[in-house]
Amino acid sequence: MITEHTTAPKPSPPPGEDRGFPSGIRFEFILRKLGFWGRFVGFLNTATGIIYCLGIFALAVPLVFVGILQCAMGVKLMRSARHFRRVLTTDNTEELADALNNLRSYLVFNAIVLSFSFVFLLALVIGLAWYGTFFWELWDTGLDDLVRV
């Protein structure tokens, strides 16, 4: 007679035993705080992104791209916060992996936005320096003509 070998899913270990990741009051406190702050900052990112997207009415098209990135950042961070809160209740290592993956995605989006901001700021400083020297020369030349008269 042929019998099938199936394995039942392992029940989650009782508190205090090895769960595959750190446990304890400090770890739970950190997860709770990550969940709270992730949700809060994610909400703020999403709200800021929506406000940036409304910049299309002011014909500020680049703001729409920044707004879309901000919204994506907010969603990733809120997903990460949700997974951090689930780790506390389910003791599932997959939830922790998903939370860390969403947090990684948020950091990548944040690096992209900060890089664009830095390049834009650098271009702005270079442009202002160039225009500043142009107007300085114009002002200086104009004053010389007025003094000679």
PDB file of all heavy atoms in Angstrom, residues 105-131:
ATOM      1  N   SER A 105      12.946  49.282  -0.143  1.00  0.00           N
ATOM      2  CA  SER A 105      12.387  49.997  -1.296  1.00  0.00           C
ATOM      3  C   SER A 105      12.170  51.472  -0.982  1.00  0.00           C
ATOM      4  O   SER A 105      12.435  52.344  -1.820  1.00  0.00           O
ATOM      5  CB  SER A 105      11.060  49.376  -1.725  1.00  0.00           C
ATOM      6  OG  SER A 105      11.249  48.065  -2.157  1.00  0.00           O
ATOM      7  N   TYR A 106      11.693  51.744   0.215  1.00  0.00           N
ATOM      8  CA  TYR A 106      11.506  53.136   0.630  1.00  0.00           C
ATOM      9  C   TYR A 106      12.837  53.880   0.612  1.00  0.00           C
ATOM     10  O   TYR A 106      12.915  55.016   0.127  1.00  0.00           O
ATOM     11  CB  TYR A 106      10.889  53.188   2.028  1.00  0.00           C
ATOM     12  CG  TYR A 106      10.951  54.562   2.649  1.00  0.00           C
ATOM     13  CD1 TYR A 106      10.062  55.562   2.262  1.00  0.00           C
ATOM     14  CD2 TYR A 106      11.901  54.874   3.609  1.00  0.00           C
ATOM     15  CE1 TYR A 106      10.116  56.831   2.812  1.00  0.00           C
ATOM     16  CE2 TYR A 106      11.970  56.132   4.168  1.00  0.00           C
ATOM     17  CZ  TYR A 106      11.081  57.105   3.764  1.00  0.00           C
ATOM     18  OH  TYR A 106      11.145  58.352   4.307  1.00  0.00           O
ATOM     19  N   LEU A 107      13.873  53.258   1.132  1.00  0.00           N
ATOM     20  CA  LEU A 107      15.185  53.910   1.158  1.00  0.00           C
ATOM     21  C   LEU A 107      15.727  54.143  -0.247  1.00  0.00           C
ATOM     22  O   LEU A 107      16.364  55.165  -0.509  1.00  0.00           O
ATOM     23  CB  LEU A 107      16.160  53.090   2.003  1.00  0.00           C
ATOM     24  CG  LEU A 107      15.846  53.047   3.503  1.00  0.00           C
ATOM     25  CD1 LEU A 107      16.774  52.086   4.215  1.00  0.00           C
ATOM     26  CD2 LEU A 107      15.915  54.431   4.108  1.00  0.00           C
ATOM     27  N   VAL A 108      15.471  53.215  -1.171  1.00  0.00           N
ATOM     28  CA  VAL A 108      15.904  53.399  -2.562  1.00  0.00           C
ATOM     29  C   VAL A 108      15.170  54.588  -3.185  1.00  0.00           C
ATOM     30  O   VAL A 108      15.786  55.453  -3.835  1.00  0.00           O
ATOM     31  CB  VAL A 108      15.678  52.116  -3.389  1.00  0.00           C
ATOM     32  CG1 VAL A 108      15.837  52.374  -4.870  1.00  0.00           C
ATOM     33  CG2 VAL A 108      16.648  51.029  -2.938  1.00  0.00           C
ATOM     34  N   PHE A 109      13.834  54.655  -3.002  1.00  0.00           N
ATOM     35  CA  PHE A 109      13.061  55.788  -3.517  1.00  0.00           C
ATOM     36  C   PHE A 109      13.556  57.103  -2.910  1.00  0.00           C
ATOM     37  O   PHE A 109      13.674  58.114  -3.595  1.00  0.00           O
ATOM     38  CB  PHE A 109      11.569  55.630  -3.231  1.00  0.00           C
ATOM     39  CG  PHE A 109      10.850  54.748  -4.195  1.00  0.00           C
ATOM     40  CD1 PHE A 109      10.066  53.707  -3.740  1.00  0.00           C
ATOM     41  CD2 PHE A 109      10.929  54.972  -5.555  1.00  0.00           C
ATOM     42  CE1 PHE A 109       9.379  52.887  -4.621  1.00  0.00           C
ATOM     43  CE2 PHE A 109      10.245  54.167  -6.450  1.00  0.00           C
ATOM     44  CZ  PHE A 109       9.476  53.119  -5.978  1.00  0.00           C
ATOM     45  N   ASN A 110      13.841  57.068  -1.609  1.00  0.00           N
ATOM     46  CA  ASN A 110      14.318  58.264  -0.932  1.00  0.00           C
ATOM     47  C   ASN A 110      15.665  58.702  -1.496  1.00  0.00           C
ATOM     48  O   ASN A 110      15.907  59.897  -1.685  1.00  0.00           O
ATOM     49  CB  ASN A 110      14.420  58.005   0.568  1.00  0.00           C
ATOM     50  CG  ASN A 110      14.411  59.270   1.373  1.00  0.00           C
ATOM     51  OD1 ASN A 110      14.183  60.348   0.859  1.00  0.00           O
ATOM     52  ND2 ASN A 110      14.664  59.133   2.657  1.00  0.00           N
ATOM     53  N   ALA A 111      16.547  57.758  -1.791  1.00  0.00           N
ATOM     54  CA  ALA A 111      17.847  58.082  -2.375  1.00  0.00           C
ATOM     55  C   ALA A 111      17.676  58.705  -3.758  1.00  0.00           C
ATOM     56  O   ALA A 111      18.392  59.653  -4.116  1.00  0.00           O
ATOM     57  CB  ALA A 111      18.722  56.829  -2.458  1.00  0.00           C
ATOM     58  N   ILE A 112      16.726  58.207  -4.538  1.00  0.00           N
ATOM     59  CA  ILE A 112      16.473  58.769  -5.871  1.00  0.00           C
ATOM     60  C   ILE A 112      15.985  60.211  -5.757  1.00  0.00           C
ATOM     61  O   ILE A 112      16.477  61.111  -6.445  1.00  0.00           O
ATOM     62  CB  ILE A 112      15.463  57.894  -6.643  1.00  0.00           C
ATOM     63  CG1 ILE A 112      16.094  56.549  -7.000  1.00  0.00           C
ATOM     64  CG2 ILE A 112      14.958  58.598  -7.891  1.00  0.00           C
ATOM     65  CD1 ILE A 112      15.108  55.530  -7.524  1.00  0.00           C
ATOM     66  N   VAL A 113      15.023  60.445  -4.868  1.00  0.00           N
ATOM     67  CA  VAL A 113      14.489  61.797  -4.707  1.00  0.00           C
ATOM     68  C   VAL A 113      15.570  62.745  -4.204  1.00  0.00           C
ATOM     69  O   VAL A 113      15.706  63.869  -4.702  1.00  0.00           O
ATOM     70  CB  VAL A 113      13.265  61.782  -3.755  1.00  0.00           C
ATOM     71  CG1 VAL A 113      12.867  63.193  -3.351  1.00  0.00           C
ATOM     72  CG2 VAL A 113      12.101  61.073  -4.407  1.00  0.00           C
ATOM     73  N   LEU A 114      16.369  62.303  -3.240  1.00  0.00           N
ATOM     74  CA  LEU A 114      17.429  63.165  -2.730  1.00  0.00           C
ATOM     75  C   LEU A 114      18.495  63.431  -3.788  1.00  0.00           C
ATOM     76  O   LEU A 114      19.050  64.536  -3.849  1.00  0.00           O
ATOM     77  CB  LEU A 114      18.053  62.551  -1.482  1.00  0.00           C
ATOM     78  CG  LEU A 114      17.181  62.590  -0.231  1.00  0.00           C
ATOM     79  CD1 LEU A 114      17.865  61.863   0.919  1.00  0.00           C
ATOM     80  CD2 LEU A 114      16.862  64.019   0.158  1.00  0.00           C
ATOM     81  N   SER A 115      18.787  62.453  -4.628  1.00  0.00           N
ATOM     82  CA  SER A 115      19.768  62.657  -5.703  1.00  0.00           C
ATOM     83  C   SER A 115      19.255  63.694  -6.697  1.00  0.00           C
ATOM     84  O   SER A 115      20.005  64.594  -7.098  1.00  0.00           O
ATOM     85  CB  SER A 115      20.053  61.343  -6.425  1.00  0.00           C
ATOM     86  OG  SER A 115      20.608  60.409  -5.553  1.00  0.00           O
ATOM     87  N   PHE A 116      17.987  63.581  -7.109  1.00  0.00           N
ATOM     88  CA  PHE A 116      17.410  64.578  -8.011  1.00  0.00           C
ATOM     89  C   PHE A 116      17.408  65.961  -7.365  1.00  0.00           C
ATOM     90  O   PHE A 116      17.701  66.964  -8.020  1.00  0.00           O
ATOM     91  CB  PHE A 116      15.994  64.197  -8.435  1.00  0.00           C
ATOM     92  CG  PHE A 116      15.932  63.152  -9.497  1.00  0.00           C
ATOM     93  CD1 PHE A 116      15.013  62.113  -9.415  1.00  0.00           C
ATOM     94  CD2 PHE A 116      16.776  63.186 -10.589  1.00  0.00           C
ATOM     95  CE1 PHE A 116      14.943  61.144 -10.395  1.00  0.00           C
ATOM     96  CE2 PHE A 116      16.719  62.229 -11.578  1.00  0.00           C
ATOM     97  CZ  PHE A 116      15.804  61.200 -11.480  1.00  0.00           C
ATOM     98  N   SER A 117      17.081  66.011  -6.081  1.00  0.00           N
ATOM     99  CA  SER A 117      17.066  67.296  -5.382  1.00  0.00           C
ATOM    100  C   SER A 117      18.460  67.907  -5.338  1.00  0.00           C
ATOM    101  O   SER A 117      18.623  69.114  -5.533  1.00  0.00           O
ATOM    102  CB  SER A 117      16.542  67.119  -3.958  1.00  0.00           C
ATOM    103  OG  SER A 117      15.239  66.641  -3.966  1.00  0.00           O
ATOM    104  N   PHE A 118      19.464  67.090  -5.097  1.00  0.00           N
ATOM    105  CA  PHE A 118      20.837  67.578  -5.045  1.00  0.00           C
ATOM    106  C   PHE A 118      21.286  68.101  -6.405  1.00  0.00           C
ATOM    107  O   PHE A 118      21.883  69.174  -6.494  1.00  0.00           O
ATOM    108  CB  PHE A 118      21.780  66.475  -4.555  1.00  0.00           C
ATOM    109  CG  PHE A 118      23.205  66.924  -4.451  1.00  0.00           C
ATOM    110  CD1 PHE A 118      23.605  67.777  -3.433  1.00  0.00           C
ATOM    111  CD2 PHE A 118      24.142  66.515  -5.381  1.00  0.00           C
ATOM    112  CE1 PHE A 118      24.921  68.210  -3.337  1.00  0.00           C
ATOM    113  CE2 PHE A 118      25.454  66.935  -5.296  1.00  0.00           C
ATOM    114  CZ  PHE A 118      25.851  67.787  -4.266  1.00  0.00           C
ATOM    115  N   VAL A 119      20.976  67.366  -7.465  1.00  0.00           N
ATOM    116  CA  VAL A 119      21.347  67.806  -8.819  1.00  0.00           C
ATOM    117  C   VAL A 119      20.621  69.109  -9.154  1.00  0.00           C
ATOM    118  O   VAL A 119      21.214  70.042  -9.713  1.00  0.00           O
ATOM    119  CB  VAL A 119      21.036  66.699  -9.853  1.00  0.00           C
ATOM    120  CG1 VAL A 119      21.123  67.217 -11.274  1.00  0.00           C
ATOM    121  CG2 VAL A 119      21.972  65.523  -9.651  1.00  0.00           C
ATOM    122  N   PHE A 120      19.346  69.205  -8.815  1.00  0.00           N
ATOM    123  CA  PHE A 120      18.585  70.427  -9.077  1.00  0.00           C
ATOM    124  C   PHE A 120      19.159  71.600  -8.294  1.00  0.00           C
ATOM    125  O   PHE A 120      19.306  72.708  -8.822  1.00  0.00           O
ATOM    126  CB  PHE A 120      17.112  70.223  -8.721  1.00  0.00           C
ATOM    127  CG  PHE A 120      16.268  71.437  -8.927  1.00  0.00           C
ATOM    128  CD1 PHE A 120      15.938  71.867 -10.196  1.00  0.00           C
ATOM    129  CD2 PHE A 120      15.814  72.166  -7.845  1.00  0.00           C
ATOM    130  CE1 PHE A 120      15.161  72.986 -10.399  1.00  0.00           C
ATOM    131  CE2 PHE A 120      15.037  73.288  -8.028  1.00  0.00           C
ATOM    132  CZ  PHE A 120      14.712  73.702  -9.308  1.00  0.00           C
ATOM    133  N   LEU A 121      19.503  71.378  -7.032  1.00  0.00           N
ATOM    134  CA  LEU A 121      20.077  72.430  -6.208  1.00  0.00           C
ATOM    135  C   LEU A 121      21.432  72.878  -6.760  1.00  0.00           C
ATOM    136  O   LEU A 121      21.728  74.076  -6.804  1.00  0.00           O
ATOM    137  CB  LEU A 121      20.217  71.952  -4.764  1.00  0.00           C
ATOM    138  CG  LEU A 121      20.739  72.968  -3.760  1.00  0.00           C
ATOM    139  CD1 LEU A 121      19.757  74.117  -3.618  1.00  0.00           C
ATOM    140  CD2 LEU A 121      20.979  72.312  -2.425  1.00  0.00           C
ATOM    141  N   LEU A 122      22.248  71.934  -7.195  1.00  0.00           N
ATOM    142  CA  LEU A 122      23.542  72.268  -7.777  1.00  0.00           C
ATOM    143  C   LEU A 122      23.360  73.084  -9.057  1.00  0.00           C
ATOM    144  O   LEU A 122      24.054  74.093  -9.265  1.00  0.00           O
ATOM    145  CB  LEU A 122      24.328  70.981  -8.071  1.00  0.00           C
ATOM    146  CG  LEU A 122      25.767  71.137  -8.501  1.00  0.00           C
ATOM    147  CD1 LEU A 122      26.585  71.789  -7.399  1.00  0.00           C
ATOM    148  CD2 LEU A 122      26.350  69.783  -8.850  1.00  0.00           C
ATOM    149  N   ALA A 123      22.421  72.693  -9.910  1.00  0.00           N
ATOM    150  CA  ALA A 123      22.151  73.455 -11.131  1.00  0.00           C
ATOM    151  C   ALA A 123      21.635  74.850 -10.789  1.00  0.00           C
ATOM    152  O   ALA A 123      22.001  75.830 -11.459  1.00  0.00           O
ATOM    153  CB  ALA A 123      21.138  72.711 -11.998  1.00  0.00           C
ATOM    154  N   LEU A 124      20.828  74.955  -9.765  1.00  0.00           N
ATOM    155  CA  LEU A 124      20.311  76.250  -9.341  1.00  0.00           C
ATOM    156  C   LEU A 124      21.433  77.162  -8.852  1.00  0.00           C
ATOM    157  O   LEU A 124      21.491  78.340  -9.214  1.00  0.00           O
ATOM    158  CB  LEU A 124      19.258  76.059  -8.247  1.00  0.00           C
ATOM    159  CG  LEU A 124      18.544  77.299  -7.748  1.00  0.00           C
ATOM    160  CD1 LEU A 124      17.650  77.853  -8.847  1.00  0.00           C
ATOM    161  CD2 LEU A 124      17.732  76.965  -6.522  1.00  0.00           C
ATOM    162  N   VAL A 125      22.349  76.625  -8.058  1.00  0.00           N
ATOM    163  CA  VAL A 125      23.469  77.418  -7.557  1.00  0.00           C
ATOM    164  C   VAL A 125      24.372  77.862  -8.708  1.00  0.00           C
ATOM    165  O   VAL A 125      24.793  79.029  -8.767  1.00  0.00           O
ATOM    166  CB  VAL A 125      24.263  76.621  -6.488  1.00  0.00           C
ATOM    167  CG1 VAL A 125      25.595  77.271  -6.179  1.00  0.00           C
ATOM    168  CG2 VAL A 125      23.436  76.471  -5.228  1.00  0.00           C
ATOM    169  N   ILE A 126      24.651  76.956  -9.632  1.00  0.00           N
ATOM    170  CA  ILE A 126      25.487  77.312 -10.786  1.00  0.00           C
ATOM    171  C   ILE A 126      24.788  78.376 -11.635  1.00  0.00           C
ATOM    172  O   ILE A 126      25.410  79.357 -12.065  1.00  0.00           O
ATOM    173  CB  ILE A 126      25.832  76.064 -11.618  1.00  0.00           C
ATOM    174  CG1 ILE A 126      26.790  75.173 -10.838  1.00  0.00           C
ATOM    175  CG2 ILE A 126      26.423  76.444 -12.965  1.00  0.00           C
ATOM    176  CD1 ILE A 126      27.019  73.819 -11.462  1.00  0.00           C
ATOM    177  N   GLY A 127      23.490  78.217 -11.864  1.00  0.00           N
ATOM    178  CA  GLY A 127      22.734  79.207 -12.636  1.00  0.00           C
ATOM    179  C   GLY A 127      22.708  80.564 -11.959  1.00  0.00           C
ATOM    180  O   GLY A 127      22.898  81.599 -12.603  1.00  0.00           O
ATOM    181  N   LEU A 128      22.493  80.579 -10.649  1.00  0.00           N
ATOM    182  CA  LEU A 128      22.478  81.849  -9.933  1.00  0.00           C
ATOM    183  C   LEU A 128      23.853  82.511  -9.946  1.00  0.00           C
ATOM    184  O   LEU A 128      23.956  83.739 -10.055  1.00  0.00           O
ATOM    185  CB  LEU A 128      21.995  81.642  -8.498  1.00  0.00           C
ATOM    186  CG  LEU A 128      20.506  81.408  -8.329  1.00  0.00           C
ATOM    187  CD1 LEU A 128      20.177  81.125  -6.869  1.00  0.00           C
ATOM    188  CD2 LEU A 128      19.706  82.594  -8.827  1.00  0.00           C
ATOM    189  N   ALA A 129      24.905  81.722  -9.832  1.00  0.00           N
ATOM    190  CA  ALA A 129      26.255  82.285  -9.875  1.00  0.00           C
ATOM    191  C   ALA A 129      26.528  82.885 -11.255  1.00  0.00           C
ATOM    192  O   ALA A 129      27.091  83.980 -11.369  1.00  0.00           O
ATOM    193  CB  ALA A 129      27.287  81.209  -9.540  1.00  0.00           C
ATOM    194  N   TRP A 130      26.107  82.200 -12.306  1.00  0.00           N
ATOM    195  CA  TRP A 130      26.335  82.708 -13.658  1.00  0.00           C
ATOM    196  C   TRP A 130      25.543  83.987 -13.899  1.00  0.00           C
ATOM    197  O   TRP A 130      26.065  84.976 -14.387  1.00  0.00           O
ATOM    198  CB  TRP A 130      25.977  81.642 -14.693  1.00  0.00           C
ATOM    199  CG  TRP A 130      26.310  82.083 -16.079  1.00  0.00           C
ATOM    200  CD1 TRP A 130      27.535  82.117 -16.654  1.00  0.00           C
ATOM    201  CD2 TRP A 130      25.398  82.599 -17.045  1.00  0.00           C
ATOM    202  NE1 TRP A 130      27.457  82.598 -17.928  1.00  0.00           N
ATOM    203  CE2 TRP A 130      26.143  82.905 -18.205  1.00  0.00           C
ATOM    204  CE3 TRP A 130      24.030  82.814 -17.053  1.00  0.00           C
ATOM    205  CZ2 TRP A 130      25.568  83.417 -19.353  1.00  0.00           C
ATOM    206  CZ3 TRP A 130      23.454  83.328 -18.194  1.00  0.00           C
ATOM    207  CH2 TRP A 130      24.216  83.630 -19.328  1.00  0.00           C
ATOM    208  N   TYR A 131      24.246  83.939 -13.555  1.00  0.00           N
ATOM    209  CA  TYR A 131      23.428  85.130 -13.736  1.00  0.00           C
ATOM    210  C   TYR A 131      23.877  86.256 -12.810  1.00  0.00           C
ATOM    211  O   TYR A 131      23.803  87.428 -13.166  1.00  0.00           O
ATOM    212  CB  TYR A 131      21.944  84.827 -13.509  1.00  0.00           C
ATOM    213  CG  TYR A 131      21.304  84.156 -14.683  1.00  0.00           C
ATOM    214  CD1 TYR A 131      20.755  82.886 -14.565  1.00  0.00           C
ATOM    215  CD2 TYR A 131      21.228  84.798 -15.912  1.00  0.00           C
ATOM    216  CE1 TYR A 131      20.159  82.268 -15.642  1.00  0.00           C
ATOM    217  CE2 TYR A 131      20.631  84.191 -16.996  1.00  0.00           C
ATOM    218  CZ  TYR A 131      20.104  82.926 -16.848  1.00  0.00           C
ATOM    219  OH  TYR A 131      19.520  82.325 -17.921  1.00  0.00           O
TER     220      TYR A 131
END
